[in-house]
Each structure stands twice: as structure tokens, then as C-alpha cells.
Amino acid sequence: MKILAIHGSPRTIRSTTRILTNFVLEGAAEAGAETEMIDLCDFRVSPCTACEGCSFNGICVYEDDVPAIVARMKEADGIIFASPVYIDNVSGQMKLFFDRLADAIHYQVLAGKYGCSVATTHTSGGDEVIVYLNHVLNYLGVITVGGLSVATGGNPEAVDVAEDSARALGKNLAGAIASGFSDPVQEEEIAGNREFFRAMVEENRDFRPEDYKRWVRMGWIG
Ligand SMILES: Cc1cc2nc3c(=O)[nH]c(=O)nc-3n(C[C@H](O)[C@H](O)[C@H](O)COP(=O)(O)O)c2cc1C
């Protein structure tokens, strides 16, 4: 079982979000998962320009590191999104990355995986960012098992207080993967999204036949 954390603070190893995420990964590792972390700021992530090039073949016109990151997400059974709160939202690094996932969302290439979210903030927006991060995971077809945000009040050591909760979240994620956890409410939402994207997959059938066939195989196109 593999769990991959994607971390969006530009502060790399000084990041409190990263420290908190590491606790989550340690909890998952104790439950038997193989874990890894991607620091987004170490990778080249070009901003989406809405050229719609990816809708022809799933390949972005920019040759950067996003395809390699998505490949690692595909290999994982569990995905953690982790971001500091910037002006009551995710960091710019995280948002640029999310915008590049539009094709992965439309074609549901990560469906069936499990995930959770992590955020830190000085004061505001932590819970809202967790809701948003989990929403993006659901958009990708990923079932979420919860999230954790910590308001540090400017004291980075405040994340240590949340160590046990973070480890429990990681253990919970690993447990969900092992047991094939299901959540009818999220599954209904994901099925609703798929129904919306189905029209696109059918419309693009002639130039994306493999994607179309995958949707038929998955039973998403009858
Ligand atoms: C550009 C920027 C915007 C921020 N916006 C907020 C905010 O809206 N609310 C808040 O309480 N803290 C805000 N903060 C503080 C960070 O959320 C907080 O320090 C966080 O724990 C940093 O995480 P990191 O160490 O992982 O980078 C902001 C920090 C920066 C640099």
C-alpha cells in the first residue's frame, strides 16, 4: 500500500504544514503503508493557460513536472493534499497544481483511491481549506477519510500538540485503503460528477479511444 503526500508550502523543510503532514505519514507507515512526500515547490508546475490542448490527448502543451507527479499519484493507493492557508485559501503553488489537474478530473484517472487533507494557518481559514482540499480530492474521484488543520498562532511548535491526531488520521487513511472503506454520500457526489464528465468522454471518443474504452470497462458508460 502506497500513500503519497503532495505538499504545497514554499517553505520546504521549515514548513509547519510539512511537519504536520509527516506525522500523518508516520501514522500511515505504522499501519503498514509505504509513504512519500512531494514538495511542490521543488517541481516545475506551469500555470494552466486554458488553451484546452490537454483535452485532445491528455497531454499539456508545457513540458514540465506535472505528468511525473500525476504518474506518482496513479501509483499511490492514498493521496494526501497539504497546504498552508494563504489569504483564506490554499497556497499559490497548490492552486497552480490543481488547475493542471483538470484533465485528470474530467477523465477520472485517479478514481477509486482514498485521501485526506492537512492544513496549517496562523489563525483563519484552516477548516475551510480542509473542506476545499477534500473537495478537490472528491473531484478527482478520491474518497476522503477526514482532514486536520492546526492554527499555530505564529508558534510553529503548536503542530506538535496535534501529533497524535495527525498520526491517527494517517492510520485511518491506511485502514480505509486496507478495508475498502465506502461512503455513500461521497460516492453519490462522485457519481454525479462522472455523469457530468461522461458527455465529454463520449464526445471525444474518436480522438481519445483508449480513455473511452476505459470508461466502458469501468461501467461508467453503458
Ligand atoms: C502569503 C501568506 C498568506 C497568509 N494568509 C493567512 C491567512 O489568510 N490567515 C491566517 O491565519 N494565516 C495566514 N498566513 C499564515 C500561514 O497560514 C501560516 O504561517 C502557516 O502555518 C504557514 O505554513 P507553512 O509553515 O507550512 O508555510 C499567511 C502566510 C503567508 C505567507
Side-chain angles (χ1 to χ4, degrees):
M1 174 200 308
K2 281 189 185 172
I3 295 181
L4 170 68
I6 299 187
H7 162 243
S9 168
R11 299 179 68 232
T12 58
I13 56 168
R14 292 181 302 126
S15 156
T16 47
T17 312
R18 192 179 202 280
I19 293 165
L20 189 61
T21 306
N22 251 328
F23 291 144
V24 179
L25 289 178
E26 282 169 18
E30 279 161 20
E34 192 185 314
T35 66
E36 61 172 339
M37 173 119 64
I38 283 178
D39 295 304
L40 273 183
C41 67
D42 290 342
F43 291 80
R44 294 169 303 148
V45 178
S46 306
C48 176
T49 55
C51 71
E52 297 188 18
C54 64
S55 66
F56 290 109
N57 55 9
I59 298 170
C60 183
V61 294
Y62 293 114
E63 289 183 18
D64 60 10
D65 295 326
V66 174
I69 297 172
V70 173
R72 282 164 76 175
M73 291 168 86
K74 283 183 183 170
E75 281 168 16
D77 306 290
I79 297 167
I80 301 171
F81 282 158
S83 176
V85 173
Y86 278 7
I87 322 297
D88 286 343
N89 212 302
V90 294
S91 67
Q93 286 80 357
M94 201 76 190
K95 186 60 168 64
L96 284 185
F97 176 65
F98 285 166
D99 291 350
R100 291 289 304 282
L101 295 179
D103 194 73
I105 289 172
H106 291 153
Y107 282 84
Q108 294 284 288
V109 300
L110 300 169
K113 300 185 188 296
Y114 292 89
C116 68
S117 298
V118 178
T120 71
T121 177
H122 184 286
T123 314
S124 66
D127 292 343
E128 291 84 350
V129 162
I130 291 298
V131 168
Y132 175 67
L133 292 169
N134 278 341
H135 173 69
V136 177
L137 284 165
N138 281 167
Y139 248 161
L140 286 159
V142 174
I143 301 269
T144 60
V145 301
L148 179 65
S149 74
V150 173
T152 65
N155 173 17
E157 285 171 19
V159 288
D160 293 340
V161 177
E163 177 173 349
D164 287 350
S165 308
R167 286 177 182 274
L169 180 61
K171 191 175 167 195
N172 199 11
L173 178 57
I177 295 165
S179 68
F181 166 74
S182 72
D183 177 347
V185 174
Q186 290 186 61
E187 276 151 24
E188 195 181 327
E189 185 186 326
I190 290 167
N193 290 337
R194 257 199 329 260
E195 188 52 28
F196 183 75
F197 301 136
R198 184 170 63 88
M200 184 183 307
V201 177
E202 286 180 322
E203 197 180 311
N204 297 347
R205 172 184 183 167
D206 289 345
F207 51 89
R208 294 185 69 163
E210 291 311 315
D211 292 303
Y212 179 84
K213 280 186 215 155
R214 180 174 158 268
W215 273 57
V216 172
R217 260 196 327 273
M218 296 298 286
W220 298 337
I221 291 178

